[in-house]
Amino acid sequence: MDIDTGSASGGAGFAHPLLAWLADVGAGIDAAIECPTLSLPLGEYESALRQLAICEAKLASLRLSLTRQAELNEVRKLTGAANAAGWVQQVTRMGRREASVSVRLAKALDQTIRATGEALSGGEISLGQAQVIERAIRRLPNDVDAEVKVEAEAFLLDSAQALDVDDLDRAGKHLYEVIAPEDAERRIGKQLEEQERRARENRTLSFGPVRDGMGTVFLRLDVPTLAILQALLDPLARPRSTGPEGPDLRSSERRQADAFAEFLGVAQAAVDAPNRGSIRTRLTVTVSYDGLVNKVGYATLNSVLTDSGPAHLKVKTQAGAGAGAGAGAGAGGSGGSIGRDESIGPGGQTLIGYRITGPPISATLVRQLACDAEIIPVVLGGDGAVLDLGRGTRLFTSSQRHALAERDGYYCHFPGCRRPEKWTEAHHIKHWIDGGATDLDNGVLLCQHHHTTIHTQGWTVRMGDDGHPEYLPPPWVDPYQNVIRPDDHTVIRR
């Protein structure tokens, strides 16, 4: 019998029943859309939504059945599409991947998971659940018996009555691991190896511009490296216990950033810290002598962050010492760019390659860095000439740090803090630039946070009559500035 696929109504010839039915369904849907839902009783919303879900499942079943027949009859040739998925994409305006999944599911419902097709056409499962079942059965190894696959499909269909798409997908993955545990382990392991390889190859770290005293680091790490970093930062990022300063009000992001800064200090101080040409990592800071002594003005951080600035300064002999100082601070990063070229300038002055580059930092911060950082003092005269390249021992030795910890307890000595000694910095009670000696009577171990507090928040540390450091809070913390001493009962010694 000849079939005319013309208009379903009013046209000459015979309209196929499917087209006539679809026309009626379309009209019914139009009427349903125009029907106001405001008057629908609240108790009927669930029933209406369930009916819509059933209708969607049945329509999806019909669409997939038609898709399968179109593939078998090579309807794609009528439009020049390369394959059935391309034809579906043209007709339905699906995405390429969605169209491919649709064609694959249509074929599976017709050949391998017919029970799933029947459940979809009966509205018993949703289209998403049918896709999950198809994917789970397809993941099974080829050598799995057909009877086992049928049982697996039946199990998933039964589970679909109580599970949503996400839970059903997890059940499907678990099913694969139960039926074929060895193959599942092998395949998952192989997938993870490839994923980890790509992650290692795509690790990136870059530095953004420095503005307003802040820089930005862009960091993407593979999971193991990220886990190591998180494990290292976790003990440093915990909220500090309540002490003279009150509770820790820092946000979690601030605590993580502070922990990272503290971790860098610990890493830089390590015996096996990275070096360049056997020279320990350091930065160079240039600051005037008056600024360093009086804590006024600013310094210049010389690093790889910028590449502009004066190229040379002049060197005189130590006999011509004047009034200025520069310093190289071991705070991590690339080495400072001091390089002698032995050329002689006017008046017997030697020129050295000393680039003054990088962002500015306050003289107060320079004093803090100078307490426990690898700094090479470079004394500058008023005319910018380098007068001296160093002076006596300034940093506390490892033995001195051990003695300080033994005297005060193996923790940050600031009242209420219990940061371990290995995370502390040695602070000169009387600053070395002010003539303070590097000995036990002039030192105390402080964590980076409280070291910064001493230098910037108005706190004063001094040596008490009992031979232990004691603290004076600023007047806005305690108007009477009563002396605070760590509780001897809480100082834990080894």
Side-chain angles (χ1 to χ4, degrees):
M1 178 178 67
D2 294 335
I3 298 178
D4 183 359
T5 59
S7 174
S9 62
F14 174 75
H16 191 283
L18 176 60
L19 297 178
W21 181 87
L22 289 175
D24 293 339
V25 170
I29 293 176
D30 289 340
I33 292 175
E34 294 175 359
C35 179
T37 58
L38 183 61
S39 58
L40 184 67
L42 295 182
E44 300 297 329
Y45 273 72
E46 180 179 341
S47 176
L49 192 58
R50 289 186 182 278
Q51 288 296 322
L52 284 173
I54 292 173
C55 291
E56 287 177 349
K58 292 182 176 181
L59 285 173
S61 173
L62 179 59
R63 175 174 59 81
L64 291 169
S65 176
L66 183 63
T67 298
R68 176 57 176 164
Q69 290 301 318
E71 181 184 24
L72 293 174
N73 293 330
E74 297 186 326
V75 176
R76 62 178 178 81
K77 294 181 179 179
L78 298 178
T79 62
N83 49 41
W87 176 77
V88 171
Q89 184 180 7
Q90 290 177 357
V91 175
T92 63
R93 295 191 294 277
M94 289 182 180
R96 180 179 301 177
R97 182 180 181 280
E98 185 182 5
S100 297
V101 170
S102 180
V103 171
R104 185 179 65 208
L105 177 59
K107 183 176 181 180
L109 294 177
D110 180 49
Q111 293 183 339
T112 58
I113 51 172
R114 293 184 177 180
T116 302
E118 293 175 359
L120 182 63
S121 64
E124 300 172 10
I125 62 174
S126 68
L127 174 61
Q129 289 176 314
Q131 291 172 334
V132 166
I133 294 173
E134 184 276 328
R135 186 164 57 246
I137 300 301
R138 177 166 44 86
R139 277 197 298 252
L140 295 176
N142 295 329
D143 56 353
V144 173
D145 294 338
E147 293 80 4
V148 175
K149 291 184 178 181
V150 171
E151 292 179 6
E153 181 187 8
F155 168 77
L156 292 175
L157 283 173
D158 183 61
S159 300
Q161 305 306 310
L163 301 179
D164 60 24
V165 171
D166 294 333
D167 289 338
L168 186 63
D169 186 50
R170 282 188 281 271
K173 292 177 181 178
H174 177 69
L175 178 72
Y176 174 51
E177 295 172 2
V178 171
I179 293 178
E182 294 181 358
D183 186 73
E185 184 176 358
R186 177 192 60 80
R187 183 175 298 189
I188 293 173
K190 186 175 180 181
Q191 291 173 348
L192 288 175
E193 287 178 1
E194 177 62 21
Q195 178 178 311
E196 291 161 358
R197 182 191 64 80
R198 291 197 305 268
R200 287 191 297 269
E201 293 177 353
N202 292 325
R203 287 187 298 201
T204 58
L205 188 153
S206 60
F207 295 92
V210 177
R211 297 189 181 95
D212 299 326
M214 293 289 291
T216 304
V217 177
F218 302 94
L219 182 63
R220 296 179 71 245
L221 296 175
D222 55 294
V223 172
T225 305
L226 182 63
I228 293 173
L229 178 60
Q230 289 176 322
L232 290 171
L233 296 183
D234 180 67
L236 299 174
R238 292 175 181 172
R240 301 179 189 274
S241 58
T242 301
E245 301 170 284
D248 193 339
L249 300 179
R250 297 175 299 163
S251 66
S252 59
E253 292 81 2
R254 167 68 187 277
R255 287 190 284 106
Q256 291 286 349
D258 289 349
F260 187 71
E262 193 168 348
F263 167 71
L264 291 180
V266 174
Q268 194 277 333
V271 175
D272 55 351
N275 61 73
R276 177 178 292 181
S278 74
I279 299 176
R280 291 289 297 277
T281 302
R282 66 169 63 94
L283 294 178
T284 302
V285 177
T286 303
V287 62
S288 72
Y289 181 83
D290 290 338
L292 191 60
V293 171
N294 300 319
K295 295 188 287 187
V296 297
Y298 66 94
T300 301
L301 180 64
N302 305 330
S303 70
V304 296
L305 296 179
T306 60
D307 58 1
S308 61
H312 296 86
L313 291 176
K314 295 176 289 186
V315 177
K316 294 180 180 178
T317 62
Q318 188 172 358
S334 299
S337 51
I338 297 182
R340 300 178 181 273
D341 63 8
E342 303 302 330
S343 59
I344 306 299
Q349 297 170 344
T350 302
L351 297 178
I352 65 171
Y354 193 109
R355 301 197 317 175
I356 304 178
T357 63
I361 60 176
S362 69
T364 299
L365 179 56
V366 174
R367 290 173 65 93
Q368 178 180 337
L369 293 174
C371 281
D372 195 34
E374 187 176 348
I375 293 180
I376 302 176
V378 182
V379 181
L380 302 180
D383 59 354
V386 179
L387 305 175
D388 190 9
L389 292 177
R391 83 169 207 206
T393 302
R394 179 183 54 77
L395 299 182
F396 286 92
T397 65
S398 176
S399 297
Q400 286 176 313
R401 285 180 57 94
H402 182 83
L404 290 173
E406 186 66 27
R407 182 193 70 190
D408 299 326
Y410 282 81
Y411 292 89
C412 168
H413 189 261
F414 194 90
C417 184
R418 285 296 177 265
R419 290 296 220 208
E421 178 267 336
K422 65 181 179 179
W423 296 339
T424 61
E425 301 169 351
H427 170 71
H428 287 75
I429 295 176
K430 181 180 181 181
H431 203 280
W432 67 274
I433 196 64
D434 299 326
T438 303
D439 56 35
L440 299 183
D441 292 334
N442 193 45
V444 61
L445 298 180
L446 299 171
C447 68
Q448 187 182 69
H449 171 74
H450 288 119
H451 194 187
T452 302
T453 297
I454 293 296
H455 277 276
T456 63
Q457 301 300 319
W459 284 77
T460 300
V461 57
R462 69 187 187 188
M463 188 58 68
D465 296 337
D466 60 353
H468 293 275
E470 58 187 23
Y471 301 84
L472 297 176
W476 53 87
V477 174
D478 178 5
Y480 301 101
Q481 293 189 282
N482 293 310
V483 175
I484 300 177
R485 300 180 182 89
D487 185 356
D488 290 339
H489 297 291
T490 64
V491 175
I492 302 175
R493 303 179 185 276
R494 282 201 291 195

